[in-house]
């Protein structure tokens, strides 16, 4: 009985973590729940979790809701999913350091695109802050996911 509960928690941890990070949105530290993009990216592309793709699209829609954008994060996710389809060129599952390089490219392009849609000093500073903050928390979050899943 105890093994079943622990097994369930190990399997459900990435899902619960994603929802938790999205819900813990604070204007300065986690604007729009942006930290939820870390488990979305990691559990879809770097260390794929069964049935996480559908959940990721739903959570990207939730990010769009909090950011008040129209399918921006869904489009970025689908673009990354399409690029990941070219696994003869790019194989994120075999990348070093939990795929932080691919994640930083993904996040950097997303923030750069948002920056050019509304170019101002405030948007630039917010974009730089989000890039640094989410990039700094990528490794701790991914290591936590791996530790819980015993990967």
């Amino acid at each position: 009985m105890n093994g079943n509960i622990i097994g369930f928690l190990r399997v459900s941890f990435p899902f619960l973590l994603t929802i938790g990070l999205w819900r813990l949105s604070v204007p300065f530290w986690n604007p729009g729940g942006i930290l939820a993009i870390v488990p979305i990216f990691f559990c879809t592309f770097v260390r794929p979790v069964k049935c996480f793709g559908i959940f990721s699209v739903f959570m990207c829609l939730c990010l769009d809701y909090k950011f008040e954008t129209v399918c921006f994060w869904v489009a970025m996710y689908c673009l990354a999913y399409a690029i990941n389809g070219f696994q003869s060129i790019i194989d994120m599952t075999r990348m070093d350091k939990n795929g932080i390089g691919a994640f930083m490219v993904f996040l950097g392009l997303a923030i750069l695109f948002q920056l050019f849609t509304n170019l101002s000093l405030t948007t630039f500073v917010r974009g730089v802050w989000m890039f640094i903050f989410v990039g700094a928390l990528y490794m701790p979050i991914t290591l936590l996911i791996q530790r819980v899943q015993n990967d």
Side-chain angles (χ1 to χ4, degrees), residues 26-110:
V26 178
F28 183 73
W29 294 107
N30 188 14
I34 189 65
L35 286 177
I37 203 72
V38 173
I40 288 171
F41 185 87
F42 183 73
C43 294
T44 301
F45 304 119
V46 181
R47 301 282 183 267
V49 173
K50 186 177 180 183
C51 300
F52 204 80
I54 302 292
F55 178 74
S56 295
V57 171
F58 172 71
M59 287 308 297
C60 285
L61 285 169
C62 292
L63 279 174
D64 284 328
Y65 170 74
K66 287 254 185 151
F67 271 96
E68 297 178 1
T69 55
V70 180
C71 295
F72 173 74
W73 289 106
V74 173
M76 290 302 296
Y77 174 81
C78 290
L79 179 65
Y81 198 84
I83 290 171
N84 192 41
F86 298 117
Q87 287 199 2
S88 60
I89 300 170
I90 301 169
D91 190 6
M92 290 187 214
T93 59
R94 299 183 196 274
M95 289 187 149
D96 293 339
K97 299 179 185 172
N98 293 339
I100 193 167
F103 177 74
M104 296 306 281
V105 168
F106 168 76
L107 185 66
L109 289 175

Coordinates of all heavy atoms in Angstrom, one line a residue, residues 26-110:
V26 N 3.8 35.7 -8.7 CA 4.0 36.9 -7.9 C 4.6 37.9 -8.9 O 5.5 37.5 -9.7 CB 5.0 36.7 -6.7 CG1 5.2 38.0 -6.0 CG2 4.5 35.6 -5.8
P27 N 4.1 39.1 -9.0 CA 4.5 40.1 -10.0 C 6.0 40.2 -10.2 O 6.5 40.3 -11.4 CB 3.9 41.4 -9.6 CG 2.7 41.0 -8.8 CD 3.1 39.7 -8.1
F28 N 6.8 40.2 -9.2 CA 8.3 40.4 -9.4 C 9.0 39.1 -9.5 O 9.9 38.9 -10.4 CB 8.8 41.2 -8.2 CG 10.3 41.5 -8.4 CD1 10.7 42.5 -9.3 CD2 11.3 40.9 -7.6 CE1 12.1 42.8 -9.5 CE2 12.6 41.2 -7.8 CZ 13.0 42.1 -8.7
W29 N 8.7 38.1 -8.6 CA 9.5 36.9 -8.6 C 9.1 35.8 -9.5 O 9.9 35.0 -10.0 CB 9.5 36.3 -7.1 CG 10.2 37.2 -6.2 CD1 9.6 38.0 -5.2 CD2 11.6 37.5 -6.1 NE1 10.5 38.7 -4.5 CE2 11.8 38.4 -5.0 CE3 12.7 37.0 -6.8 CZ2 13.0 38.8 -4.7 CZ3 13.9 37.5 -6.4 CH2 14.1 38.4 -5.4
N30 N 7.8 35.8 -9.8 CA 7.3 34.7 -10.8 C 6.2 35.3 -11.6 O 5.0 34.9 -11.5 CB 6.9 33.5 -10.0 CG 6.5 32.3 -10.8 OD1 6.8 32.3 -12.0 ND2 5.9 31.4 -10.2
P31 N 6.5 36.3 -12.4 CA 5.4 37.0 -13.2 C 4.7 36.1 -14.1 O 5.2 35.4 -14.9 CB 6.1 38.1 -13.9 CG 7.5 37.6 -14.1 CD 7.8 36.8 -12.8
G32 N 3.4 36.0 -13.9 CA 2.5 35.2 -14.7 C 2.7 33.7 -14.5 O 2.3 32.9 -15.3
G33 N 3.4 33.3 -13.5 CA 3.7 31.9 -13.3 C 4.7 31.3 -14.3 O 4.7 30.1 -14.6
I34 N 5.7 32.2 -14.7 CA 6.6 31.8 -15.8 C 7.5 30.6 -15.4 O 8.0 29.9 -16.2 CB 7.5 33.0 -16.2 CG1 8.3 32.7 -17.4 CG2 8.4 33.5 -15.1 CD1 7.6 32.4 -18.7
L35 N 7.7 30.4 -14.1 CA 8.6 29.3 -13.7 C 7.9 27.9 -14.1 O 8.6 26.9 -14.1 CB 8.8 29.3 -12.2 CG 9.8 30.4 -11.7 CD1 9.9 30.4 -10.2 CD2 11.1 30.2 -12.3
A36 N 6.7 27.9 -14.4 CA 6.0 26.7 -14.8 C 6.6 26.2 -16.2 O 6.4 25.0 -16.5 CB 4.5 26.8 -14.9
I37 N 7.2 27.1 -16.9 CA 7.8 26.7 -18.2 C 8.9 25.8 -18.0 O 9.2 25.0 -19.0 CB 8.1 28.0 -19.0 CG1 8.2 27.7 -20.5 CG2 9.4 28.6 -18.6 CD1 6.8 27.5 -21.1
V38 N 9.6 25.8 -16.9 CA 10.7 24.9 -16.7 C 10.3 23.4 -16.7 O 10.8 22.7 -17.5 CB 11.5 25.3 -15.4 CG1 12.6 24.2 -15.0 CG2 12.1 26.7 -15.5
P39 N 9.4 23.0 -15.8 CA 9.0 21.6 -15.9 C 8.2 21.3 -17.2 O 8.3 20.1 -17.7 CB 8.0 21.4 -14.7 CG 7.7 22.7 -14.2 CD 8.7 23.7 -14.7
I40 N 7.6 22.2 -17.8 CA 6.9 22.0 -19.1 C 8.0 21.6 -20.1 O 7.8 20.6 -20.8 CB 6.1 23.2 -19.5 CG1 4.8 23.4 -18.7 CG2 5.7 23.1 -21.0 CD1 4.1 24.7 -18.9
F41 N 9.0 22.4 -20.2 CA 10.1 22.2 -21.2 C 10.9 20.9 -20.8 O 11.1 20.0 -21.7 CB 11.1 23.3 -21.2 CG 12.1 23.2 -22.3 CD1 11.9 23.7 -23.5 CD2 13.4 22.7 -22.0 CE1 12.8 23.6 -24.5 CE2 14.3 22.6 -22.9 CZ 14.1 23.0 -24.2
F42 N 11.3 20.7 -19.6 CA 12.1 19.6 -19.2 C 11.4 18.3 -19.3 O 11.9 17.3 -19.8 CB 12.5 19.8 -17.7 CG 13.4 18.7 -17.2 CD1 14.7 18.7 -17.6 CD2 13.0 17.8 -16.3 CE1 15.6 17.7 -17.2 CE2 13.8 16.8 -15.8 CZ 15.1 16.8 -16.3
C43 N 10.1 18.2 -18.9 CA 9.4 16.9 -18.9 C 8.8 16.6 -20.2 O 8.3 15.5 -20.4 CB 8.3 16.9 -17.8 SG 9.0 17.0 -16.1
T44 N 8.9 17.5 -21.2 CA 8.4 17.2 -22.5 C 9.6 16.9 -23.4 O 9.5 15.9 -24.2 CB 7.6 18.4 -23.1 OG1 6.5 18.7 -22.3 CG2 7.1 18.1 -24.5
F45 N 10.6 17.7 -23.4 CA 11.7 17.5 -24.3 C 13.0 16.8 -23.8 O 13.6 16.0 -24.5 CB 12.1 18.9 -24.9 CG 11.0 19.7 -25.5 CD1 10.6 20.9 -25.0 CD2 10.3 19.1 -26.6 CE1 9.5 21.6 -25.5 CE2 9.2 19.8 -27.1 CZ 8.8 21.0 -26.6
V46 N 13.4 17.1 -22.6 CA 14.7 16.6 -22.2 C 14.5 15.3 -21.5 O 15.2 14.3 -21.9 CB 15.3 17.6 -21.2 CG1 16.7 17.1 -20.7 CG2 15.5 19.0 -21.8
R47 N 13.6 15.1 -20.6 CA 13.3 13.8 -20.0 C 11.8 13.6 -20.1 O 11.1 13.9 -19.2 CB 13.7 13.8 -18.5 CG 15.2 14.0 -18.2 CD 16.0 12.8 -18.5 NE 17.4 13.1 -18.1 CZ 18.3 13.5 -18.9 NH1 18.0 13.8 -20.2 NH2 19.6 13.7 -18.5
P48 N 11.4 13.1 -21.2 CA 10.0 13.0 -21.5 C 9.2 12.1 -20.5 O 9.7 11.1 -20.1 CB 9.9 12.3 -22.9 CG 11.2 12.6 -23.5 CD 12.2 12.6 -22.4
V49 N 8.1 12.7 -20.0 CA 7.2 12.0 -19.1 C 6.0 11.6 -19.8 O 5.4 12.4 -20.6 CB 6.8 12.9 -17.9 CG1 5.8 12.3 -17.0 CG2 8.1 13.3 -17.1
K50 N 5.5 10.4 -19.6 CA 4.3 9.9 -20.3 C 3.1 10.8 -20.1 O 2.8 11.2 -18.9 CB 4.0 8.5 -19.8 CG 3.0 7.7 -20.6 CD 2.8 6.3 -20.1 CE 1.7 5.6 -20.8 NZ 1.5 4.3 -20.3
C51 N 2.4 11.1 -21.1 CA 1.2 11.9 -21.1 C 1.4 13.4 -20.7 O 0.5 14.1 -20.4 CB 0.1 11.3 -20.2 SG -0.4 9.7 -20.7
F52 N 2.6 13.8 -20.7 CA 2.9 15.2 -20.3 C 2.7 16.2 -21.4 O 2.5 17.4 -21.2 CB 4.3 15.3 -19.8 CG 4.5 16.5 -18.8 CD1 4.1 16.4 -17.5 CD2 5.1 17.7 -19.3 CE1 4.3 17.4 -16.6 CE2 5.3 18.7 -18.4 CZ 4.9 18.6 -17.1
G53 N 2.7 15.8 -22.7 CA 2.6 16.7 -23.8 C 1.2 17.4 -23.8 O 1.1 18.6 -24.0
I54 N 0.1 16.6 -23.6 CA -1.2 17.2 -23.6 C -1.3 18.2 -22.4 O -1.9 19.3 -22.6 CB -2.3 16.1 -23.5 CG1 -2.2 15.1 -24.6 CG2 -3.7 16.7 -23.4 CD1 -2.5 15.7 -26.0
F55 N -0.8 17.7 -21.3 CA -0.8 18.6 -20.1 C 0.0 19.9 -20.3 O -0.4 21.0 -19.9 CB -0.3 17.8 -18.9 CG -0.2 18.6 -17.6 CD1 -1.4 18.9 -16.9 CD2 1.0 19.1 -17.2 CE1 -1.3 19.6 -15.7 CE2 1.1 19.8 -16.0 CZ -0.1 20.0 -15.3
S56 N 1.1 19.8 -21.0 CA 1.9 21.0 -21.3 C 1.2 22.0 -22.2 O 1.3 23.2 -22.0 CB 3.2 20.5 -22.0 OG 4.0 19.8 -21.2
V57 N 0.4 21.5 -23.2 CA -0.3 22.4 -24.0 C -1.4 23.2 -23.1 O -1.5 24.4 -23.2 CB -1.0 21.7 -25.2 CG1 -2.0 22.6 -25.9 CG2 0.0 21.1 -26.1
F58 N -2.0 22.4 -22.3 CA -3.0 23.0 -21.3 C -2.3 24.1 -20.4 O -2.8 25.2 -20.2 CB -3.7 22.0 -20.5 CG -4.6 22.5 -19.4 CD1 -5.8 23.2 -19.7 CD2 -4.2 22.4 -18.1 CE1 -6.6 23.7 -18.7 CE2 -5.0 23.0 -17.1 CZ -6.2 23.6 -17.4
M59 N -1.2 23.7 -19.9 CA -0.5 24.7 -19.0 C 0.1 25.9 -19.8 O 0.1 27.0 -19.2 CB 0.7 23.9 -18.3 CG 0.2 23.0 -17.2 SD -1.0 23.7 -16.0 CE 0.0 25.0 -15.2
C60 N 0.4 25.7 -21.0 CA 0.8 26.8 -21.9 C -0.4 27.8 -22.1 O -0.2 29.0 -22.1 CB 1.4 26.4 -23.2 SG 3.1 25.7 -23.0
L61 N -1.5 27.2 -22.2 CA -2.8 28.0 -22.3 C -3.0 28.8 -21.0 O -3.4 29.9 -21.0 CB -4.0 27.2 -22.7 CG -4.1 26.7 -24.1 CD1 -5.2 25.6 -24.2 CD2 -4.3 27.9 -25.0
C62 N -2.7 28.1 -19.9 CA -2.8 28.8 -18.6 C -1.8 29.9 -18.5 O -2.1 31.0 -17.9 CB -2.7 27.8 -17.5 SG -4.0 26.6 -17.3
L63 N -0.6 29.7 -19.0 CA 0.4 30.8 -19.0 C -0.1 31.9 -19.8 O 0.1 33.1 -19.5 CB 1.7 30.3 -19.5 CG 2.6 29.5 -18.5 CD1 3.8 29.0 -19.2 CD2 3.0 30.4 -17.4
D64 N -0.6 31.6 -21.0 CA -1.2 32.7 -21.9 C -2.3 33.5 -21.1 O -2.4 34.7 -21.3 CB -1.7 32.1 -23.2 CG -0.6 31.7 -24.1 OD1 0.4 32.4 -24.1 OD2 -0.8 30.7 -24.9
Y65 N -3.1 32.8 -20.4 CA -4.1 33.4 -19.6 C -3.6 34.4 -18.6 O -4.0 35.6 -18.5 CB -5.0 32.4 -18.9 CG -6.0 33.0 -17.9 CD1 -7.1 33.7 -18.3 CD2 -5.7 32.9 -16.6 CE1 -8.0 34.2 -17.4 CE2 -6.6 33.4 -15.6 CZ -7.7 34.1 -16.1 OH -8.6 34.6 -15.2
K66 N -2.5 34.0 -17.9 CA -1.9 34.9 -16.8 C -1.1 36.0 -17.5 O -1.1 37.1 -16.9 CB -1.0 34.0 -15.9 CG -1.7 33.2 -15.0 CD -1.6 33.7 -13.6 CE -2.3 32.7 -12.6 NZ -1.7 32.8 -11.3
F67 N -0.5 35.8 -18.6 CA 0.3 36.8 -19.3 C -0.6 37.7 -20.1 O -0.1 38.7 -20.7 CB 1.4 36.2 -20.2 CG 2.7 35.9 -19.4 CD1 2.9 34.7 -18.9 CD2 3.6 36.9 -19.3 CE1 4.1 34.4 -18.3 CE2 4.8 36.7 -18.7 CZ 5.1 35.5 -18.1
E68 N -1.9 37.3 -20.3 CA -2.8 38.1 -21.1 C -2.3 38.1 -22.6 O -2.3 39.2 -23.2 CB -3.1 39.5 -20.6 CG -3.7 39.4 -19.2 CD -4.0 40.8 -18.6 OE1 -3.6 41.8 -19.3 OE2 -4.5 40.9 -17.5
T69 N -1.8 37.0 -23.1 CA -1.4 36.9 -24.5 C -2.3 35.9 -25.1 O -3.0 35.1 -24.5 CB 0.1 36.4 -24.6 OG1 0.2 35.1 -23.8 CG2 1.1 37.4 -24.0
V70 N -2.3 36.0 -26.4 CA -3.2 35.1 -27.2 C -2.4 34.0 -27.8 O -1.7 34.2 -28.8 CB -4.0 35.9 -28.3 CG1 -4.9 34.9 -29.1 CG2 -4.8 37.0 -27.7
C71 N -2.3 32.8 -27.2 CA -1.7 31.6 -27.6 C -0.2 31.8 -27.9 O 0.4 31.1 -28.7 CB -2.3 31.1 -28.9 SG -4.0 30.5 -28.5
F72 N 0.5 32.7 -27.2 CA 1.9 33.0 -27.4 C 2.7 31.8 -26.9 O 3.6 31.2 -27.6 CB 2.4 34.2 -26.7 CG 3.9 34.4 -26.8 CD1 4.5 34.8 -28.0 CD2 4.7 34.2 -25.7 CE1 5.9 35.0 -28.0 CE2 6.0 34.3 -25.7 CZ 6.6 34.7 -26.9
W73 N 2.5 31.4 -25.7 CA 3.3 30.3 -25.1 C 2.9 29.0 -25.8 O 3.8 28.1 -25.9 CB 3.1 30.2 -23.6 CG 3.8 31.3 -22.9 CD1 3.3 32.4 -22.4 CD2 5.2 31.5 -22.8 NE1 4.2 33.3 -21.9 CE2 5.5 32.7 -22.2 CE3 6.3 30.8 -23.2 CZ2 6.7 33.2 -21.9 CZ3 7.6 31.2 -22.9 CH2 7.8 32.5 -22.3
V74 N 1.7 28.8 -26.2 CA 1.3 27.6 -26.9 C 2.1 27.5 -28.3 O 2.6 26.5 -28.7 CB -0.2 27.5 -27.2 CG1 -0.6 26.4 -28.1 CG2 -0.9 27.4 -25.9
A75 N 2.2 28.7 -28.9 CA 2.9 28.7 -30.2 C 4.4 28.5 -30.0 O 5.0 27.7 -30.8 CB 2.7 30.1 -30.9
M76 N 5.0 29.0 -29.0 CA 6.4 28.7 -28.7 C 6.6 27.3 -28.3 O 7.6 26.7 -28.8 CB 6.9 29.6 -27.5 CG 7.0 31.1 -27.9 SD 8.1 31.4 -29.3 CE 9.6 30.9 -28.6
Y77 N 5.7 26.7 -27.6 CA 5.8 25.3 -27.2 C 5.7 24.4 -28.5 O 6.5 23.5 -28.7 CB 4.7 24.9 -26.2 CG 4.6 23.4 -25.9 CD1 5.5 22.9 -25.0 CD2 3.7 22.6 -26.5 CE1 5.5 21.5 -24.7 CE2 3.7 21.3 -26.2 CZ 4.6 20.7 -25.3 OH 4.5 19.4 -25.0
C78 N 4.7 24.7 -29.4 CA 4.5 23.9 -30.6 C 5.7 24.1 -31.5 O 6.1 23.1 -32.2 CB 3.3 24.4 -31.3 SG 1.8 23.8 -30.4
L79 N 6.3 25.3 -31.6 CA 7.6 25.5 -32.3 C 8.7 24.6 -31.8 O 9.4 24.0 -32.6 CB 8.0 27.0 -32.3 CG 9.2 27.3 -33.1 CD1 9.0 27.1 -34.6 CD2 9.6 28.8 -32.8
A80 N 8.9 24.6 -30.5 CA 9.9 23.8 -29.9 C 9.6 22.3 -30.1 O 10.6 21.5 -30.3 CB 10.0 24.1 -28.4
Y81 N 8.4 21.9 -30.1 CA 8.0 20.5 -30.3 C 8.3 20.1 -31.8 O 8.8 19.0 -32.0 CB 6.5 20.4 -30.0 CG 6.1 18.9 -29.9 CD1 6.2 18.3 -28.6 CD2 5.6 18.2 -30.9 CE1 5.8 17.0 -28.4 CE2 5.2 16.9 -30.7 CZ 5.3 16.3 -29.5 OH 4.9 15.0 -29.3
A82 N 8.1 21.1 -32.7 CA 8.4 20.8 -34.1 C 9.9 20.7 -34.3 O 10.4 19.8 -35.0 CB 7.8 21.9 -35.0
I83 N 10.6 21.6 -33.7 CA 12.1 21.6 -33.8 C 12.7 20.3 -33.2 O 13.6 19.7 -33.7 CB 12.7 22.8 -33.1 CG1 12.4 24.0 -34.0 CG2 14.2 22.6 -33.0 CD1 12.8 25.3 -33.3
N84 N 12.1 19.8 -32.1 CA 12.5 18.6 -31.4 C 12.2 17.4 -32.3 O 12.9 16.4 -32.2 CB 11.8 18.4 -30.1 CG 12.4 17.3 -29.3 OD1 13.6 17.2 -29.2 ND2 11.5 16.6 -28.6
G85 N 11.3 17.5 -33.3 CA 11.0 16.5 -34.2 C 12.2 16.2 -35.2 O 12.3 15.1 -35.7
F86 N 13.1 17.1 -35.3 CA 14.3 16.9 -36.1 C 15.4 16.3 -35.3 O 16.5 16.9 -35.1 CB 14.8 18.2 -36.7 CG 13.8 18.9 -37.6 CD1 13.3 20.1 -37.3 CD2 13.5 18.3 -38.8 CE1 12.4 20.7 -38.2 CE2 12.6 18.9 -39.7 CZ 12.0 20.1 -39.4
Q87 N 15.2 15.2 -34.7 CA 16.1 14.6 -33.8 C 17.4 14.1 -34.4 O 18.3 13.7 -33.7 CB 15.4 13.5 -33.0 CG 14.5 14.0 -31.9 CD 14.2 13.0 -30.9 OE1 14.7 11.9 -30.8 NE2 13.3 13.4 -30.0
S88 N 17.5 14.0 -35.7 CA 18.7 13.7 -36.3 C 19.7 14.8 -36.2 O 20.9 14.7 -36.2 CB 18.5 13.3 -37.8 OG 18.0 14.4 -38.5
I89 N 19.2 16.1 -36.0 CA 20.0 17.2 -35.9 C 20.1 17.6 -34.4 O 21.2 17.8 -33.9 CB 19.5 18.4 -36.7 CG1 19.4 18.0 -38.2 CG2 20.3 19.7 -36.5 CD1 18.7 19.0 -39.0
I90 N 19.0 17.7 -33.8 CA 18.9 18.2 -32.4 C 18.2 17.1 -31.6 O 17.1 16.7 -31.8 CB 18.0 19.5 -32.2 CG1 18.6 20.6 -33.1 CG2 17.9 19.9 -30.8 CD1 17.7 21.8 -33.2
D91 N 19.0 16.6 -30.6 CA 18.4 15.5 -29.7 C 18.5 16.0 -28.3 O 19.6 15.9 -27.6 CB 19.1 14.2 -29.9 CG 18.4 13.1 -29.2 OD1 17.3 13.3 -28.6 OD2 19.0 12.0 -29.1
M92 N 17.4 16.6 -27.8 CA 17.5 17.2 -26.4 C 17.6 16.2 -25.3 O 18.0 16.5 -24.2 CB 16.2 18.1 -26.2 CG 16.2 19.3 -27.1 SD 14.8 20.4 -26.6 CE 14.4 21.1 -28.2
T93 N 17.2 15.0 -25.6 CA 17.2 13.9 -24.5 C 18.7 13.5 -24.2 O 18.9 13.0 -23.2 CB 16.5 12.7 -24.9 OG1 17.0 12.1 -26.1 CG2 15.0 13.0 -25.1
R94 N 19.6 13.9 -25.1 CA 21.0 13.5 -24.8 C 21.9 14.7 -24.5 O 23.1 14.6 -24.5 CB 21.6 12.8 -26.1 CG 20.9 11.5 -26.4 CD 21.5 10.8 -27.6 NE 20.7 9.8 -28.1 CZ 20.6 8.6 -27.7 NH1 21.3 8.2 -26.7 NH2 19.8 7.7 -28.3
M95 N 21.3 15.8 -24.3 CA 22.1 17.0 -24.0 C 22.6 17.0 -22.6 O 22.1 16.4 -21.7 CB 21.2 18.3 -24.1 CG 20.9 18.6 -25.6 SD 20.0 20.2 -25.6 CE 20.6 20.7 -27.2
D96 N 23.8 17.7 -22.4 CA 24.4 17.8 -21.1 C 23.7 18.8 -20.2 O 23.0 19.7 -20.7 CB 25.9 18.3 -21.3 CG 26.7 17.2 -21.9 OD1 26.3 16.0 -21.9 OD2 27.8 17.6 -22.5
K97 N 23.9 18.7 -19.0 CA 23.3 19.6 -18.0 C 21.8 19.8 -18.1 O 21.3 21.0 -18.0 CB 24.1 21.0 -18.1 CG 25.5 20.8 -17.8 CD 26.2 22.2 -17.9 CE 27.7 21.9 -17.7 NZ 28.5 23.1 -18.0
N98 N 21.1 18.7 -18.3 CA 19.7 18.7 -18.3 C 19.1 19.6 -19.4 O 18.0 20.1 -19.3 CB 19.0 19.1 -17.0 CG 19.3 18.1 -15.9 OD1 19.6 16.9 -16.2 ND2 19.2 18.5 -14.7
G99 N 19.8 19.8 -20.5 CA 19.3 20.6 -21.6 C 19.2 22.1 -21.4 O 18.4 22.7 -22.0
I100 N 20.0 22.6 -20.5 CA 19.9 24.1 -20.1 C 20.2 24.9 -21.3 O 19.6 26.0 -21.5 CB 20.8 24.4 -18.9 CG1 20.4 25.8 -18.4 CG2 22.2 24.3 -19.3 CD1 21.0 26.2 -17.1
G101 N 21.1 24.5 -22.2 CA 21.4 25.3 -23.4 C 20.2 25.5 -24.3 O 19.8 26.6 -24.8
A102 N 19.5 24.4 -24.6 CA 18.3 24.4 -25.4 C 17.2 25.2 -24.7 O 16.5 26.0 -25.4 CB 17.8 23.0 -25.7
F103 N 17.1 25.1 -23.4 CA 16.1 25.8 -22.7 C 16.3 27.3 -22.8 O 15.4 28.1 -22.9 CB 16.0 25.4 -21.2 CG 15.0 26.2 -20.4 CD1 13.6 26.0 -20.6 CD2 15.4 27.2 -19.5 CE1 12.7 26.8 -19.9 CE2 14.5 27.9 -18.8 CZ 13.1 27.7 -19.0
M104 N 17.6 27.7 -22.6 CA 17.9 29.1 -22.6 C 17.7 29.7 -24.0 O 17.3 30.9 -24.1 CB 19.4 29.4 -22.2 CG 19.6 29.0 -20.8 SD 18.5 29.7 -19.6 CE 19.2 31.3 -19.4
V105 N 17.9 29.0 -25.1 CA 17.6 29.4 -26.4 C 16.1 29.6 -26.6 O 15.6 30.6 -27.1 CB 18.2 28.5 -27.5 CG1 17.6 28.8 -28.9 CG2 19.7 28.5 -27.5
F106 N 15.3 28.6 -26.1 CA 13.9 28.6 -26.2 C 13.3 29.9 -25.4 O 12.6 30.7 -25.9 CB 13.3 27.4 -25.6 CG 11.8 27.4 -25.3 CD1 10.9 27.3 -26.3 CD2 11.4 27.5 -24.0 CE1 9.5 27.3 -26.0 CE2 10.0 27.5 -23.7 CZ 9.1 27.4 -24.7
L107 N 13.8 30.0 -24.2 CA 13.3 31.2 -23.3 C 13.8 32.5 -23.9 O 13.0 33.5 -23.9 CB 13.8 31.0 -21.9 CG 13.3 32.0 -20.9 CD1 11.8 31.9 -20.7 CD2 14.0 31.8 -19.6
G108 N 15.0 32.5 -24.3 CA 15.6 33.8 -24.9 C 14.8 34.3 -26.1 O 14.5 35.4 -26.3
L109 N 14.5 33.3 -27.0 CA 13.7 33.7 -28.2 C 12.3 34.2 -27.8 O 11.8 35.1 -28.4 CB 13.7 32.5 -29.2 CG 15.0 32.2 -29.9 CD1 14.8 30.9 -30.7 CD2 15.4 33.4 -30.8
A110 N 11.7 33.5 -26.9 CA 10.4 33.9 -26.4 C 10.4 35.3 -25.8 O 9.6 36.2 -26.2 CB 9.8 32.9 -25.4

